[in-house]
Amino acid sequence: MIHFTCDMCRRNIDSDELRYVVKMEVYAAYDPATQEEDESDRDHLEELQEILERMEDVENDEIGEEVYQIRRYDLCSECRKKFCENPLSMEPSKHFDFSQN
Ligand SMILES: [Zn+2]
């Protein structure tokens, strides 16, 4: 029997409990403005394809991770809710903390 652990709170997720999977894709954004040809008809899939092709040339895993990275997390239902509310773990509304004279 396979046991899953929530990657946020580290507790076991029961087999009869809902489990959520978060897939994060992080990749380097290449600026198309550096090329002179008209880029307006290029779509993002094409760009991603280029990145993937570049990746194949990269033997070093460390450099590869900087260019393209997929992470996968298992979450319990409670942590899924927390994650969806604040996916980037940002500080709670600090920018509202300004003083008025
Ligand atoms: Zn959890």
Side-chain angles (χ1 to χ4, degrees):
M1 198 178 153
I2 304 167
H3 281 284
F4 289 100
T5 311
C6 173
D7 285 319
M8 260 176 94
C9 67
R10 296 285 160 203
R11 77 172 176 84
N12 284 327
I13 301 171
D14 296 331
S15 52
D16 60 344
E17 196 182 340
L18 258 181
R19 178 173 58 92
Y20 294 87
V21 175
V22 180
K23 257 175 134 181
M24 270 197 219
E25 193 176 15
V26 185
Y27 55 89
Y30 290 101
D31 190 0
T34 53
Q35 288 172 29
E36 280 184 21
E37 58 182 307
D38 186 13
E39 298 285 341
S40 58
D41 58 353
R42 279 168 58 98
D43 59 30
H44 292 293
L45 274 178
E46 205 176 323
E47 267 173 46
L48 186 58
Q49 188 62 39
E50 257 178 45
I51 292 168
L52 288 173
E53 276 168 20
R54 278 176 224 218
M55 268 179 64
E56 283 169 17
D57 298 333
V58 179
E59 294 287 321
N60 190 323
D61 282 347
E62 251 176 63
I63 295 172
E65 276 212 341
E66 273 178 37
V67 177
Y68 188 86
Q69 200 171 9
I70 286 188
R71 291 271 175 93
R72 185 187 173 282
Y73 303 98
D74 294 310
L75 297 185
C76 68
S77 54
E78 253 176 61
C79 291
R80 181 212 71 107
K81 202 174 157 224
K82 277 186 221 161
F83 176 81
C84 288
E85 278 169 5
N86 192 0
L88 297 180
S89 307
M90 290 185 290
E91 296 282 315
S93 48
K94 258 189 178 169
H95 48 286
F96 293 121
D97 187 28
F98 57 86
S99 58
Q100 279 181 327
N101 290 324

XYZ file of all heavy atoms in Angstrom:
851
model
N 0.830 -1.204 0.000
C 0.000 0.000 0.000
C 0.867 1.258 0.000
O 1.846 1.352 0.723
C -0.885 -0.016 1.259
C -2.057 0.936 1.139
S -3.099 0.822 2.615
C -3.801 2.448 2.608
N 0.483 2.186 -0.849
C 1.267 3.409 -0.971
C 0.754 4.465 -0.001
O -0.442 4.715 0.090
C 1.193 3.966 -2.410
C 1.664 2.894 -3.406
C 2.049 5.216 -2.545
C 1.341 3.230 -4.843
N 1.686 5.042 0.732
C 1.322 6.123 1.640
C 1.798 7.452 1.084
O 2.924 7.574 0.635
C 1.945 5.902 3.023
C 1.188 4.898 3.830
N -0.008 5.171 4.449
C 1.462 3.599 4.103
C -0.438 4.102 5.071
N 0.422 3.125 4.873
N 0.926 8.428 1.163
C 1.312 9.760 0.712
C 1.449 10.674 1.906
O 0.712 10.556 2.884
C 0.275 10.331 -0.257
C 0.286 9.644 -1.591
C -0.656 8.670 -1.886
C 1.238 9.965 -2.547
C -0.646 8.026 -3.119
C 1.253 9.324 -3.775
C 0.308 8.351 -4.060
N 2.411 11.559 1.830
C 2.613 12.547 2.874
C 2.396 13.934 2.291
O 2.857 14.225 1.199
C 4.048 12.452 3.428
O 4.343 11.095 3.731
C 4.195 13.289 4.674
N 1.688 14.771 3.024
C 1.494 16.141 2.580
C 2.838 16.861 2.612
O 3.544 16.838 3.620
C 0.487 16.842 3.491
S 0.348 18.591 3.122
N 3.201 17.498 1.514
C 4.499 18.170 1.430
C 4.532 19.488 2.175
O 5.592 20.093 2.341
C 4.873 18.405 -0.042
C 5.316 17.106 -0.706
O 6.046 16.341 -0.049
O 4.925 16.849 -1.845
N 3.379 19.966 2.625
C 3.375 21.216 3.377
C 3.381 20.958 4.880
O 4.193 21.506 5.608
C 2.147 22.046 2.993
C 2.472 23.138 1.987
S 1.006 24.042 1.445
C 1.007 25.423 2.563
N 2.455 20.132 5.377
C 2.374 19.943 6.830
C 2.969 18.613 7.269
O 3.029 18.309 8.458
C 0.935 20.073 7.309
S -0.140 18.747 6.718
N 3.444 17.820 6.319
C 4.175 16.581 6.617
C 3.316 15.484 7.255
O 3.847 14.514 7.767
C 5.372 16.852 7.543
C 6.423 17.723 6.920
C 7.232 16.973 5.897
N 7.902 17.890 4.990
C 8.293 17.547 3.771
N 8.058 16.346 3.323
N 8.893 18.407 3.002
N 2.012 15.651 7.249
C 1.216 14.584 7.849
C 0.804 13.574 6.782
O 0.779 13.884 5.593
C 0.004 15.153 8.568
C -1.143 15.579 7.687
C -2.336 15.938 8.576
N -3.451 16.446 7.778
C -4.338 15.646 7.185
N -4.232 14.325 7.263
N -5.332 16.160 6.487
N 0.511 12.361 7.236
C 0.100 11.326 6.300
C -1.298 11.613 5.761
O -2.174 12.057 6.494
C 0.095 9.964 6.984
C 1.495 9.415 7.158
O 2.374 9.650 6.326
N 1.711 8.709 8.245
N -1.478 11.361 4.493
C -2.790 11.518 3.891
C -3.412 10.131 3.797
O -2.854 9.232 3.169
C -2.674 12.166 2.493
C -1.989 13.532 2.599
C -4.054 12.321 1.867
C -1.633 14.147 1.255
N -4.528 9.971 4.465
C -5.197 8.663 4.454
C -5.641 8.297 3.049
O -5.921 9.169 2.229
C -6.430 8.694 5.371
C -6.025 8.933 6.821
O -4.901 8.529 7.182
O -6.825 9.527 7.566
N -5.710 7.005 2.812
C -6.059 6.557 1.461
C -7.491 6.920 1.080
O -7.816 7.047 -0.100
C -5.860 5.048 1.347
O -6.543 4.400 2.391
N -8.351 7.105 2.080
C -9.738 7.484 1.757
C -9.935 9.003 1.775
O -11.043 9.499 1.644
C -10.723 6.807 2.728
C -10.465 7.213 4.175
O -9.379 7.754 4.456
O -11.350 6.975 5.018
N -8.823 9.714 1.935
C -8.885 11.169 1.996
C -8.514 11.760 0.636
O -7.727 11.169 -0.094
C -7.886 11.646 3.049
C -8.079 13.063 3.524
C -6.997 13.425 4.541
O -6.390 12.505 5.113
O -6.750 14.611 4.734
N -9.065 12.918 0.354
C -8.715 13.569 -0.911
C -7.274 14.062 -0.863
O -6.841 14.664 0.105
C -9.647 14.748 -1.165
C -10.772 14.546 -2.173
C -11.570 15.827 -2.307
C -10.250 14.097 -3.521
N -6.562 13.775 -1.925
C -5.175 14.223 -2.021
C -5.081 15.126 -3.234
O -5.717 14.887 -4.258
C -4.266 13.014 -2.201
C -2.805 13.330 -2.367
C -1.998 12.030 -2.350
N -2.443 11.119 -3.407
C -1.909 11.071 -4.621
N -0.899 11.845 -4.930
N -2.366 10.247 -5.538
N -4.300 16.179 -3.117
C -4.163 17.117 -4.223
C -2.725 17.137 -4.695
O -1.799 17.017 -3.894
C -4.577 18.527 -3.795
C -6.048 18.613 -3.461
C -6.491 18.319 -2.177
C -6.973 18.969 -4.426
C -7.837 18.383 -1.865
C -8.323 19.033 -4.125
C -8.747 18.739 -2.843
O -10.070 18.803 -2.532
N -2.560 17.304 -5.987
C -1.225 17.373 -6.565
C -1.003 18.760 -7.137
O -1.828 19.273 -7.880
C -1.045 16.313 -7.681
C 0.310 16.480 -8.359
C -1.175 14.911 -7.110
N 0.101 19.378 -6.745
C 0.486 20.672 -7.291
C 1.671 20.459 -8.205
O 2.682 19.890 -7.800
C 0.882 21.669 -6.184
C 1.286 23.006 -6.800
C -0.250 21.849 -5.209
N 1.558 20.927 -9.416
C 2.675 20.840 -10.347
C 3.136 22.239 -10.656
O 2.371 23.076 -11.110
C 2.232 20.153 -11.647
C 2.686 18.724 -11.746
C 2.097 18.121 -12.986
C 3.137 17.348 -13.767
N 2.544 16.775 -14.990
N 4.387 22.518 -10.397
C 4.929 23.843 -10.656
C 5.940 23.759 -11.772
O 6.842 22.932 -11.756
C 5.623 24.363 -9.401
C 4.717 25.132 -8.509
S 5.775 26.058 -7.423
C 4.838 25.891 -5.945
N 5.778 24.657 -12.723
C 6.684 24.697 -13.853
C 7.379 26.044 -13.840
O 6.739 27.082 -13.901
C 5.872 24.520 -15.132
C 6.686 24.227 -16.336
C 5.783 23.958 -17.543
O 4.596 24.280 -17.488
O 6.290 23.433 -18.532
N 8.687 26.026 -13.701
C 9.444 27.276 -13.650
C 10.480 27.249 -14.758
O 11.301 26.339 -14.812
C 10.167 27.438 -12.294
C 10.849 28.791 -12.213
C 9.203 27.247 -11.145
N 10.404 28.222 -15.625
C 11.408 28.236 -16.689
C 11.843 29.648 -17.028
O 11.114 30.610 -16.819
C 10.934 27.487 -17.944
C 9.632 27.959 -18.521
C 9.607 28.973 -19.466
C 8.432 27.366 -18.127
C 8.415 29.389 -20.008
C 7.231 27.777 -18.662
C 7.225 28.797 -19.607
O 6.030 29.196 -20.140
N 13.047 29.751 -17.532
C 13.617 31.048 -17.864
C 12.879 31.658 -19.046
O 12.631 30.996 -20.037
C 15.099 30.893 -18.211
N 12.531 32.919 -18.907
C 11.834 33.620 -19.971
C 12.843 34.326 -20.859
O 13.565 35.206 -20.412
C 10.861 34.627 -19.381
N 12.902 33.898 -22.091
C 13.811 34.557 -23.020
C 13.095 35.737 -23.659
O 11.939 35.625 -24.049
C 14.275 33.574 -24.100
C 15.199 32.529 -23.558
C 14.730 31.248 -23.266
C 16.533 32.835 -23.313
C 15.576 30.293 -22.745
C 17.382 31.879 -22.796
C 16.900 30.601 -22.523
O 17.732 29.656 -22.022
N 13.765 36.836 -23.738
C 13.156 38.037 -24.281
C 13.169 38.001 -25.806
O 14.224 38.078 -26.420
C 13.946 39.259 -23.781
C 13.222 40.544 -24.124
O 12.133 40.468 -24.729
O 13.748 41.606 -23.779
N 11.998 37.893 -26.421
C 11.950 37.805 -27.892
C 12.335 39.108 -28.570
O 12.614 39.129 -29.750
C 10.490 37.445 -28.185
C 9.728 37.891 -26.980
C 10.683 37.827 -25.812
N 12.389 40.223 -27.831
C 12.709 41.524 -28.421
C 14.152 41.589 -28.896
O 14.530 42.487 -29.637
C 12.447 42.625 -27.411
N 14.982 40.650 -28.468
C 16.381 40.658 -28.876
C 16.545 40.183 -30.309
O 17.598 40.347 -30.896
C 17.226 39.768 -27.957
O 16.630 38.481 -27.891
C 17.322 40.372 -26.557
N 15.502 39.592 -30.876
C 15.569 39.148 -32.259
C 14.886 40.169 -33.154
O 13.905 40.786 -32.773
C 14.905 37.776 -32.410
C 15.763 36.682 -31.776
C 15.038 35.347 -31.753
O 14.217 35.080 -32.606
N 15.344 34.532 -30.763
N 15.412 40.314 -34.362
C 14.924 41.387 -35.220
C 13.667 41.020 -35.992
O 12.885 41.869 -36.379
C 16.039 41.823 -36.180
C 17.022 42.751 -35.482
C 18.087 43.265 -36.439
O 17.867 43.240 -37.658
O 19.148 43.662 -35.933
N 13.452 39.752 -36.248
C 12.282 39.353 -37.028
C 10.984 39.622 -36.246
O 10.982 39.738 -35.040
C 12.369 37.860 -37.376
C 12.476 36.988 -36.144
C 12.617 35.503 -36.495
O 11.783 34.992 -37.247
O 13.558 34.880 -35.987
N 9.913 39.745 -36.966
C 8.616 40.009 -36.352
C 8.179 38.795 -35.525
O 8.048 37.697 -36.043
C 7.581 40.307 -37.448
C 6.260 40.725 -36.843
O 6.224 41.022 -35.643
O 5.264 40.742 -37.589
N 7.970 39.044 -34.238
C 7.677 37.929 -33.342
C 6.184 37.757 -33.092
O 5.782 36.899 -32.345
C 8.371 38.163 -32.002
C 9.880 38.225 -32.082
C 10.508 36.870 -32.263
O 9.837 35.864 -31.976
O 11.665 36.810 -32.683
N 5.374 38.611 -33.691
C 3.973 38.663 -33.306
C 3.234 37.352 -33.561
O 2.268 37.041 -32.882
C 3.271 39.811 -34.029
O 3.409 39.621 -35.427
N 3.704 36.582 -34.541
C 2.951 35.357 -34.836
C 3.546 34.121 -34.168
O 3.082 33.014 -34.370
C 2.820 35.151 -36.351
C 4.162 35.086 -37.040
O 5.186 35.329 -36.342
O 4.217 34.788 -38.232
N 4.571 34.338 -33.375
C 5.127 33.203 -32.626
C 4.293 32.946 -31.387
O 3.958 33.854 -30.662
C 6.559 33.516 -32.188
C 7.583 33.295 -33.283
C 8.895 33.896 -32.862
N 9.364 33.304 -31.602
C 10.254 32.336 -31.560
N 10.742 31.826 -32.646
N 10.651 31.868 -30.394
N 3.956 31.730 -31.153
C 3.191 31.465 -29.937
C 4.092 30.901 -28.852
O 5.260 30.581 -29.057
C 1.992 30.552 -30.205
C 2.410 29.217 -30.778
O 3.521 28.749 -30.467
O 1.633 28.634 -31.534
N 3.519 30.805 -27.670
C 4.320 30.418 -26.507
C 4.766 28.964 -26.580
O 5.803 28.599 -26.055
C 3.521 30.638 -25.228
C 3.290 32.092 -24.955
N 4.326 32.944 -24.641
C 2.171 32.845 -24.973
C 3.833 34.152 -24.484
N 2.537 34.137 -24.676
N 3.973 28.147 -27.238
C 4.362 26.747 -27.365
C 5.668 26.617 -28.123
O 6.515 25.796 -27.800
C 3.271 25.972 -28.099
C 2.145 25.433 -27.211
C 1.100 24.737 -28.072
C 2.688 24.473 -26.165
N 5.803 27.470 -29.120
C 7.016 27.447 -29.917
C 8.222 27.846 -29.055
O 9.295 27.274 -29.143
C 6.860 28.397 -31.098
C 7.734 28.042 -32.275
C 7.473 28.954 -33.464
O 6.289 29.321 -33.665
O 8.430 29.301 -34.154
N 8.003 28.857 -28.232
C 9.063 29.308 -27.343
C 9.471 28.213 -26.370
O 10.638 27.972 -26.115
C 8.596 30.524 -26.545
C 8.981 31.820 -27.212
C 8.360 32.997 -26.507
O 8.424 33.026 -25.269
O 7.807 33.872 -27.191
N 8.465 27.536 -25.829
C 8.737 26.466 -24.880
C 9.506 25.338 -25.561
O 10.419 24.764 -25.003
C 7.408 25.946 -24.313
C 7.520 24.918 -23.202
C 8.312 25.461 -22.024
C 6.135 24.495 -22.751
N 9.120 25.072 -26.788
C 9.793 24.038 -27.558
C 11.278 24.364 -27.705
O 12.135 23.506 -27.570
C 9.128 23.930 -28.936
C 9.616 22.746 -29.760
C 9.305 21.411 -29.094
O 8.250 21.241 -28.509
N 10.234 20.484 -29.165
N 11.566 25.647 -27.943
C 12.951 26.074 -28.069
C 13.717 25.859 -26.780
O 14.853 25.422 -26.783
C 13.001 27.564 -28.439
C 13.311 27.782 -29.896
C 13.311 29.253 -30.249
O 13.888 30.043 -29.482
O 12.713 29.602 -31.282
N 13.052 26.184 -25.681
C 13.693 26.018 -24.382
C 13.989 24.539 -24.141
O 15.062 24.167 -23.681
C 12.798 26.582 -23.267
C 12.702 28.103 -23.398
C 13.343 26.208 -21.896
C 11.632 28.739 -22.546
N 13.020 23.704 -24.488
C 13.218 22.273 -24.290
C 14.363 21.756 -25.150
O 15.136 20.899 -24.729
C 11.925 21.518 -24.631
C 10.806 21.706 -23.615
C 9.520 21.056 -24.130
C 11.173 21.125 -22.271
N 14.480 22.297 -26.353
C 15.565 21.882 -27.228
C 16.913 22.301 -26.661
O 17.887 21.570 -26.724
C 15.381 22.477 -28.631
C 14.454 21.631 -29.487
C 14.038 22.348 -30.770
O 14.729 23.298 -31.171
O 13.005 21.948 -31.337
N 16.935 23.518 -26.104
C 18.164 23.983 -25.461
C 18.524 23.097 -24.284
O 19.681 22.814 -24.028
C 17.996 25.413 -24.967
C 18.204 26.452 -26.047
C 17.915 27.806 -25.487
N 17.114 28.574 -26.416
C 17.262 29.889 -26.624
N 18.168 30.544 -25.951
N 16.512 30.517 -27.475
N 17.499 22.688 -23.553
C 17.712 21.847 -22.380
C 18.454 20.570 -22.728
O 19.271 20.076 -21.989
C 16.371 21.446 -21.786
C 15.869 22.355 -20.732
S 14.297 21.678 -20.232
C 14.849 20.121 -19.554
N 18.097 20.008 -23.877
C 18.701 18.742 -24.279
C 20.204 18.879 -24.467
O 20.948 17.916 -24.355
C 18.037 18.238 -25.566
C 16.672 17.624 -25.281
C 15.880 17.370 -26.554
O 16.480 17.364 -27.640
O 14.659 17.182 -26.455
N 20.640 20.077 -24.777
C 22.068 20.321 -24.930
C 22.782 20.459 -23.590
O 23.991 20.341 -23.494
C 22.318 21.609 -25.733
C 21.733 21.494 -27.143
O 21.640 20.359 -27.631
O 21.397 22.533 -27.710
N 22.008 20.726 -22.569
C 22.607 20.984 -21.266
C 22.850 19.661 -20.532
O 21.923 18.955 -20.188
C 21.698 21.894 -20.413
C 22.334 22.129 -19.052
C 21.465 23.211 -21.120
N 24.107 19.357 -20.330
C 24.456 18.122 -19.647
C 24.433 18.307 -18.143
O 24.073 17.420 -17.392
C 25.856 17.662 -20.071
C 25.948 17.257 -21.537
C 25.265 15.914 -21.795
O 25.391 15.033 -20.944
O 24.613 15.785 -22.840
N 24.799 19.497 -17.720
C 24.888 19.784 -16.293
C 23.503 20.000 -15.690
O 22.762 20.883 -16.100
C 25.751 21.044 -16.095
C 26.083 21.272 -14.648
O 25.265 21.022 -13.762
N 27.273 21.745 -14.384
N 23.153 19.180 -14.716
C 21.820 19.258 -14.122
C 21.577 20.584 -13.428
O 20.472 21.089 -13.408
C 21.634 18.126 -13.108
C 21.351 16.815 -13.819
O 21.067 16.859 -15.025
O 21.411 15.767 -13.164
N 22.617 21.133 -12.824
C 22.439 22.368 -12.070
C 22.036 23.521 -12.980
O 21.127 24.279 -12.680
C 23.746 22.734 -11.350
C 23.635 22.527 -9.858
C 24.953 22.786 -9.175
O 25.423 23.927 -9.249
O 25.509 21.843 -8.584
N 22.705 23.627 -14.119
C 22.362 24.670 -15.078
C 20.975 24.398 -15.654
O 20.161 25.297 -15.791
C 23.418 24.743 -16.201
C 24.758 25.176 -15.602
C 22.973 25.718 -17.291
C 25.925 25.103 -16.560
N 20.686 23.145 -15.920
C 19.386 22.780 -16.458
C 18.254 23.200 -15.549
O 17.232 23.689 -16.018
N 18.414 23.038 -14.244
C 17.376 23.408 -13.300
C 17.094 24.896 -13.309
O 15.981 25.319 -13.049
C 17.773 22.977 -11.876
C 17.423 21.530 -11.604
C 17.073 21.302 -10.155
O 17.438 22.158 -9.316
O 16.448 20.281 -9.860
N 18.123 25.682 -13.609
C 17.912 27.126 -13.655
C 17.088 27.523 -14.863
O 16.419 28.547 -14.859
C 19.265 27.848 -13.704
C 19.830 28.093 -12.338
C 21.192 28.760 -12.431
O 21.393 29.595 -13.319
O 22.048 28.426 -11.603
N 17.163 26.734 -15.900
C 16.456 27.076 -17.133
C 15.047 26.502 -17.118
O 14.091 27.156 -17.504
C 17.237 26.534 -18.350
C 16.479 26.824 -19.636
C 18.607 27.168 -18.400
N 14.927 25.283 -16.643
C 13.621 24.639 -16.690
C 13.490 23.652 -15.537
O 14.368 22.836 -15.299
C 13.452 23.910 -18.025
C 12.063 23.385 -18.225
C 11.077 24.203 -18.778
C 11.728 22.089 -17.861
C 9.795 23.734 -18.955
C 10.448 21.606 -18.037
C 9.485 22.430 -18.593
O 8.221 21.966 -18.763
N 12.383 23.751 -14.842
C 12.238 22.972 -13.619
C 10.773 22.625 -13.410
O 9.898 23.495 -13.515
C 12.713 23.845 -12.466
C 13.084 23.094 -11.232
C 13.737 24.019 -10.217
O 13.752 25.230 -10.383
N 14.244 23.469 -9.154
N 10.497 21.374 -13.147
C 9.132 20.995 -12.774
C 9.164 20.390 -11.384
O 9.966 19.502 -11.097
C 8.527 19.988 -13.779
C 8.172 20.703 -15.076
C 7.271 19.363 -13.204
C 7.397 19.825 -16.033
N 8.332 20.917 -10.513
C 8.221 20.391 -9.155
C 6.829 19.814 -8.981
O 5.859 20.335 -9.503
C 8.432 21.513 -8.141
C 9.839 22.040 -8.095
C 10.652 21.247 -7.094
N 12.042 21.654 -7.121
C 12.549 22.586 -6.311
N 11.769 23.194 -5.449
N 13.807 22.900 -6.367
N 6.744 18.778 -8.175
C 5.458 18.149 -7.937
C 5.280 17.949 -6.438
O 6.179 17.474 -5.758
C 5.432 16.801 -8.656
C 4.105 16.099 -8.598
C 4.263 14.701 -9.187
N 3.055 13.923 -9.005
C 2.722 13.348 -7.861
N 3.492 13.465 -6.814
N 1.605 12.658 -7.754
N 4.149 18.362 -5.934
C 3.894 18.263 -4.512
C 2.557 17.579 -4.255
O 1.588 17.780 -4.979
C 3.845 19.656 -3.870
C 5.085 20.483 -4.076
C 5.144 21.433 -5.068
C 6.203 20.301 -3.252
C 6.281 22.198 -5.257
C 7.333 21.065 -3.440
C 7.372 22.009 -4.440
O 8.488 22.770 -4.628
N 2.515 16.794 -3.192
C 1.248 16.242 -2.716
C 0.763 17.089 -1.560
O 1.527 17.421 -0.655
C 1.446 14.793 -2.226
C 1.821 13.880 -3.372
O 1.130 13.903 -4.393
O 2.824 13.144 -3.230
N -0.519 17.439 -1.600
C -1.068 18.258 -0.532
C -2.347 17.638 0.023
O -3.134 17.053 -0.715
C -1.403 19.671 -1.036
C -0.278 20.557 -1.553
C -0.824 21.936 -1.865
C 0.854 20.665 -0.552
N -2.549 17.796 1.332
C -3.825 17.428 1.917
C -4.823 18.541 1.607
O -4.447 19.618 1.148
C -3.684 17.218 3.427
S -3.343 18.715 4.360
N -6.092 18.300 1.868
C -7.104 19.275 1.455
C -6.940 20.606 2.180
O -7.180 21.673 1.612
C -8.505 18.712 1.679
O -8.641 18.300 3.015
N -6.505 20.557 3.432
C -6.313 21.801 4.177
C -5.183 22.644 3.584
O -5.291 23.859 3.442
C -5.975 21.484 5.637
C -7.127 21.771 6.573
C -6.776 21.346 7.983
O -5.808 21.889 8.541
O -7.454 20.443 8.501
N -4.089 21.980 3.275
C -2.944 22.703 2.730
C -3.205 23.155 1.303
O -2.681 24.181 0.867
C -1.699 21.829 2.783
S -1.143 21.541 4.461
N -4.032 22.406 0.583
C -4.414 22.844 -0.758
C -5.093 24.209 -0.674
O -4.857 25.117 -1.447
C -5.365 21.846 -1.406
C -5.769 22.233 -2.820
C -7.173 21.772 -3.121
N -8.147 22.543 -2.381
C -8.950 23.461 -2.912
N -8.892 23.707 -4.176
N -9.793 24.119 -2.169
N -5.971 24.358 0.329
C -6.689 25.612 0.507
C -5.707 26.748 0.816
O -5.756 27.823 0.235
C -7.679 25.448 1.669
C -8.813 26.438 1.600
C -9.838 26.139 2.692
C -10.636 27.389 3.004
N -10.814 27.600 4.437
N -4.780 26.455 1.739
C -3.769 27.468 2.085
C -2.925 27.826 0.888
O -2.620 28.989 0.634
C -2.849 26.912 3.193
C -3.418 27.056 4.578
C -2.358 26.621 5.574
C -2.982 25.792 6.693
N -1.981 24.990 7.411
N -2.548 26.802 0.135
C -1.696 27.039 -1.028
C -2.408 27.904 -2.061
O -1.827 28.837 -2.611
C -1.280 25.709 -1.653
C -0.479 25.872 -2.917
C 0.878 26.148 -2.860
C -1.086 25.784 -4.158
C 1.609 26.327 -4.024
C -0.363 25.959 -5.319
C 0.985 26.231 -5.253
N -3.684 27.607 -2.323
C -4.425 28.357 -3.334
C -4.642 29.806 -2.910
O -4.734 30.698 -3.754
C -5.758 27.677 -3.619
S -5.543 26.145 -4.529
N -4.723 30.030 -1.618
C -4.909 31.400 -1.151
C -3.636 32.222 -1.292
O -3.665 33.428 -1.476
C -5.352 31.396 0.323
C -6.842 31.143 0.470
C -7.237 30.885 1.913
O -6.369 30.998 2.807
O -8.403 30.552 2.141
N -2.504 31.553 -1.175
C -1.230 32.259 -1.213
C -0.150 31.377 -1.830
O 0.732 30.892 -1.136
C -0.852 32.661 0.222
C 0.304 33.641 0.237
O 0.834 34.023 -0.812
N 0.721 34.033 1.407
N -0.213 31.168 -3.141
C 0.688 30.208 -3.798
C 2.154 30.555 -3.677
O 3.002 29.678 -3.715
C 0.245 30.231 -5.263
C -0.991 31.033 -5.334
C -1.113 31.832 -4.085
N 2.482 31.823 -3.574
C 3.894 32.202 -3.546
C 4.381 32.519 -2.139
O 5.450 33.094 -1.956
C 4.134 33.408 -4.466
C 3.852 33.146 -5.946
C 4.112 34.393 -6.754
C 4.689 31.998 -6.482
N 3.587 32.151 -1.136
C 3.952 32.384 0.264
C 4.370 33.824 0.515
O 5.386 34.090 1.149
C 5.084 31.451 0.698
O 4.744 30.139 0.417
N 3.583 34.738 0.002
C 3.924 36.144 0.171
C 3.577 36.615 1.573
O 2.690 36.089 2.224
C 3.174 36.987 -0.869
C 3.712 36.760 -2.263
S 2.946 37.851 -3.464
C 1.305 37.197 -3.537
N 4.278 37.634 2.000
C 3.992 38.249 3.291
C 2.578 38.833 3.251
O 2.211 39.472 2.282
C 4.989 39.384 3.573
C 6.415 38.928 3.709
C 6.685 38.304 5.072
O 6.248 38.874 6.075
O 7.334 37.245 5.103
N 1.804 38.627 4.303
C 0.428 39.121 4.289
C 0.338 40.640 4.273
O 0.821 41.321 5.179
C -0.185 38.538 5.573
C 0.985 38.181 6.424
C 2.133 37.907 5.507
N -0.237 41.164 3.231
C -0.556 42.579 2.977
C 0.265 43.601 3.753
O -0.275 44.437 4.455
C -2.052 42.838 3.196
O -2.452 42.280 4.420
N 1.586 43.544 3.577
C 2.450 44.527 4.233
C 2.347 45.893 3.562
O 2.522 46.917 4.175
C 3.913 44.063 4.181
C 4.387 43.486 5.501
C 5.885 43.259 5.470
C 6.374 42.726 6.798
N 7.751 42.245 6.731
N 2.044 45.854 2.254
C 2.032 47.102 1.502
C 0.873 48.012 1.894
O 0.790 49.134 1.465
C 2.030 46.823 0.003
C 1.012 45.808 -0.418
N 1.159 44.478 -0.174
C -0.158 45.960 -1.053
C 0.111 43.828 -0.645
N -0.712 44.698 -1.182
N -0.067 47.511 2.695
C -1.146 48.372 3.178
C -0.747 49.101 4.458
O -1.466 49.935 4.976
C -2.415 47.560 3.443
C -3.015 47.015 2.182
C -3.177 45.658 2.005
C -3.423 47.879 1.169
C -3.714 45.149 0.834
C -3.972 47.375 -0.011
C -4.129 46.009 -0.170
N 0.432 48.747 4.948
C 0.863 49.267 6.244
C 1.625 50.582 6.076
O 2.766 50.709 6.440
C 1.745 48.212 6.927
C 2.089 48.632 8.354
O 1.305 49.364 8.959
O 3.167 48.220 8.813
N 0.993 51.582 5.484
C 1.641 52.867 5.348
C 0.943 53.892 6.253
O -0.236 53.774 6.566
C 1.667 53.338 3.893
C 0.308 53.425 3.258
C -0.458 54.567 3.405
C -0.181 52.353 2.514
C -1.715 54.640 2.798
C -1.436 52.434 1.927
C -2.210 53.578 2.076
N 1.704 54.887 6.672
C 1.129 55.863 7.567
C 0.658 57.090 6.801
O 1.276 57.504 5.828
C 2.165 56.279 8.619
O 3.307 56.801 7.982
N -0.430 57.654 7.234
C -0.943 58.860 6.589
C -0.789 60.041 7.541
O -1.136 59.962 8.696
C -2.422 58.683 6.224
C -2.589 57.900 4.944
C -4.050 57.766 4.579
O -4.894 57.685 5.461
N -4.345 57.742 3.310
N -0.260 61.149 7.000
C -0.079 62.318 7.843
C -1.263 63.281 7.742
O -1.772 63.517 6.703
C 1.196 63.074 7.443
C 2.414 62.246 7.825
O 2.426 61.565 8.862
N 3.416 62.275 6.971
Zn -1.133 19.290 4.702
